[in-house]
Amino acid sequence: MLIGVIADDFTGASDIAVTLAKGIQGEGGLKTTQYLGVPSRPAGAEVEAGVVALKSRSVPADQAVAQSLAACRWLQAQGCEQIVFKYCSTFDSTDSGNIGPVIDALAAHLGAKSVVVCPAFPAMGRSVYQGHLFVGDRLLNESGMQHHPLTPMTDADLRRVLQRQSHNRVAHIGWQTVSQGSDALSQALAKAEQRAETLTERTPGGAADAKQWADALSERQPGAASEASSQLMGATLVVVDAISEADLAAIGEACCHAPLVTGGSGIALGLPHNFIAQGRVSGKPAYTPKIVGAEAILVGSCSGATRAQIAEHQKYHPVMMIDVGDVMSGATGPDRLVDFIQAHQGQSPLVYSSGDPASVRQIQQQYGRGKVAAALDALFGATAQRLVAAGIRRIVVGGGETSGAVVSALDLGALTIGEEIDVGVPAMFSQGDQPIALALKSGNFGGKTFFARAVASLRG
């Protein structure tokens, strides 16, 4: 294994996994496997890139740091020469969020002096310019993300957002440098590294403050940050602009020898090239099986894009809406969902709990956000288990939290990454004698006909 990825949620993990698997167009990528949590066994010898999918995006910083360091150690044990920390391309993290603390801890553990921070994903309309994150032509804080129920994003300046979380210095490399290519960018990153070394020598107070933070973290999560405590404030976190895939390719080439790279899925676009250019990998895709079996679509996202996809799917396929109130009261359980799906086999049946933001807020206020989320996760997880037991072999899941619930319940261990169904969404295949095919879609990903196309694509 050459590249190891630590992803903070399940759909984001599959997103960056397919980016690594396809690489730069015409060149190919790496044979990639996604792992559901930190594995207890070594990876297969054929794996060139491994993606560890955590469910850490919304957990307290100390827990996220502990989980991420555990994943990092496993990936290093598999021989990984480069670690990538993947977070959402909309940088979902409040001032008390964990992106900064995780980067700090990983940088200290790996001895990284300059760390690229770039959530840009131009194919999905996410770009970074002058240190600000855009969604399409809107600043992040004007894109609708300011109303996110868990991680409202009210500041588009990534430098400010990250500095409020990190104990390291935050710097910026503008597009004017990135557009000059990888050599110019490499020189700028080298200067950031030199600045980090100078600051480490000249700011003992900063290092002491960082050590105090790490010691406090260790008290809450024993062992989580003790190894990092003496090295924090020894790195510069560099927000790097990117507005095109050519920019991402340049960043990837400039990061050829970087022990740690961080960003959205797009950051991985140019990384396979470095190993292909060295002749260490072939760029050929991994083998994926042909899947014969029935299908199901489970959706728990309430994003506007997902609601539009459900409306389109409903024109030609059977769809059942789940009343969340009935779920909370116990009137609706897994059996009802399974019965509906089995009664409409061959028709790409879909069940969903999506709703408009107002109705979602109302039900959360009535029952409590945590209880509603736990109840829906349990419902979709139990439904997936019963569907597989009944012979379902192709499952499409919409929504990051729902995807996490489903793959956790199925306990599939490792998934081989196949072809891309839609931007950022691959076909994924479990291992063993009776493989299951999965597609895990983040809320805002995919075109209007995504669900029907995904079911067809999962035949392998």
Side-chain angles (χ1 to χ4, degrees):
M1 192 182 293
L2 299 171
I3 294 179
V5 179
I6 303 163
D8 65 1
D9 80 340
F10 289 94
T11 52
S14 60
D15 183 0
I16 195 169
V18 75
T19 303
L20 287 167
K22 69 179 182 180
I24 296 174
Q25 187 174 5
E27 185 175 78
L30 304 178
K31 295 181 176 65
T32 305
T33 296
Q34 179 172 328
Y35 302 93
L36 312 178
V38 181
S40 58
R41 292 179 292 182
E46 75 283 359
V47 180
E48 296 168 345
V51 181
V52 176
L54 304 176
K55 198 175 181 182
S56 59
R57 177 168 300 173
S58 301
V59 305
D62 54 352
Q63 296 178 27
V65 167
Q67 293 176 29
S68 299
L69 286 174
C72 184
R73 293 188 190 97
W74 183 83
L75 290 165
Q76 288 180 290
Q78 311 315 305
C80 288
E81 299 175 15
Q82 187 168 63
I83 298 297
V84 180
F85 172 42
K86 191 273 174 193
Y87 37 81
C88 187
S89 59
T90 48
F91 210 78
D92 297 9
S93 187
T94 63
D95 287 352
S96 60
N98 59 49
I99 291 179
V102 170
I103 297 176
D104 284 351
L106 290 174
H109 175 74
L110 296 167
K113 294 300 181 183
S114 66
V115 182
V116 165
V117 176
C118 183
F121 194 5
M124 286 301 297
R126 277 68 158 165
S127 58
V128 180
Y129 184 70
Q130 300 300 347
H132 288 67
L133 180 55
F134 287 80
V135 177
D137 63 351
R138 299 284 183 179
L139 286 164
L140 177 66
N141 57 301
E142 299 173 357
S143 67
M145 279 300 299
Q146 67 269 36
H147 303 306
H148 192 285
L150 295 178
T151 53
M153 300 304 296
T154 58
D155 190 350
D157 190 329
L158 294 178
R159 296 162 295 186
R160 288 196 299 249
V161 174
L162 188 58
Q163 192 65 83
R164 290 194 290 265
Q165 297 181 4
S166 175
H167 286 272
N168 283 298
R169 173 178 178 264
V170 177
H172 171 239
I173 296 176
W175 180 80
Q176 291 80 358
T177 299
V178 177
S179 64
Q180 295 177 40
S182 59
D183 288 343
L185 181 54
S186 295
Q187 293 174 18
L189 289 171
K191 289 181 180 178
E193 184 167 329
Q194 293 171 2
R195 180 69 182 272
E197 292 174 347
T198 301
L199 284 173
T200 302
E201 296 172 358
R202 296 183 180 178
T203 56
D209 290 343
K211 185 177 186 303
Q212 183 178 13
W213 171 85
D215 289 343
L217 179 60
S218 295
E219 291 177 5
R220 296 193 299 270
Q221 188 73 38
S226 58
E227 65 179 292
S229 61
S230 63
Q231 300 179 57
L232 287 169
M233 279 298 292
T236 296
L237 312 187
V238 188
V239 175
V240 180
D241 286 357
I243 63 175
S244 69
E245 291 196 348
D247 295 336
L248 293 173
I251 294 171
E253 189 171 350
C255 291
C256 180
H257 301 295
L260 175 65
V261 181
T262 83
S265 299
I267 198 64
L269 179 67
L271 298 180
H273 165 80
N274 298 324
F275 295 100
I276 294 172
Q278 295 167 16
R280 300 177 65 185
V281 296
S282 67
K284 295 180 179 179
Y287 165 79
T288 54
K290 297 291 183 182
I291 301 296
V292 178
E295 77 285 355
I297 306 171
L298 307 175
V299 184
S301 168
C302 62
S303 73
T306 297
R307 297 199 305 274
Q309 290 162 349
I310 293 170
E312 181 67 21
H313 194 79
Q314 195 166 12
K315 295 177 182 177
Y316 310 101
H317 306 279
V319 169
M320 184 182 82
M321 183 183 76
I322 302 166
D323 185 288
V324 180
D326 287 345
V327 175
M328 300 305 295
S329 69
T332 294
D335 289 342
R336 185 181 173 199
L337 278 62
V338 172
D339 289 345
F340 174 82
I341 290 169
Q342 289 185 315
H344 295 91
Q345 277 308 293
Q347 303 174 60
S348 300
L350 182 153
V351 296
Y352 75 100
S353 66
S354 292
D356 62 88
S359 63
V360 170
R361 284 194 297 270
Q362 182 179 0
I363 201 75
Q364 288 176 338
Q365 289 171 359
Q366 182 178 354
Y367 292 99
R369 179 184 297 169
K371 288 184 178 180
V372 170
L376 290 174
D377 284 355
L379 174 67
F380 282 116
T383 298
Q385 289 176 327
R386 297 187 192 193
L387 288 171
V388 169
I392 298 293
R393 287 294 175 265
R394 289 177 289 148
I395 302 177
V396 179
V397 188
E401 295 300 318
T402 307
S403 295
V406 167
V407 295
S408 295
L410 294 179
D411 193 23
L412 299 176
L415 299 168
T416 300
I417 304 301
E419 293 186 358
E420 192 172 40
I421 299 169
D422 212 327
V423 177
V425 187
M428 308 167 71
F429 303 87
S430 68
Q431 301 171 0
D433 296 333
Q434 292 186 312
I436 297 168
L438 290 167
L440 309 177
K441 184 192 83 72
S442 292
N444 289 315
F445 281 34
K448 279 194 174 182
T449 61
F450 171 81
F451 290 121
R453 290 188 293 105
V455 167
S457 297
L458 291 184
R459 291 190 178 94

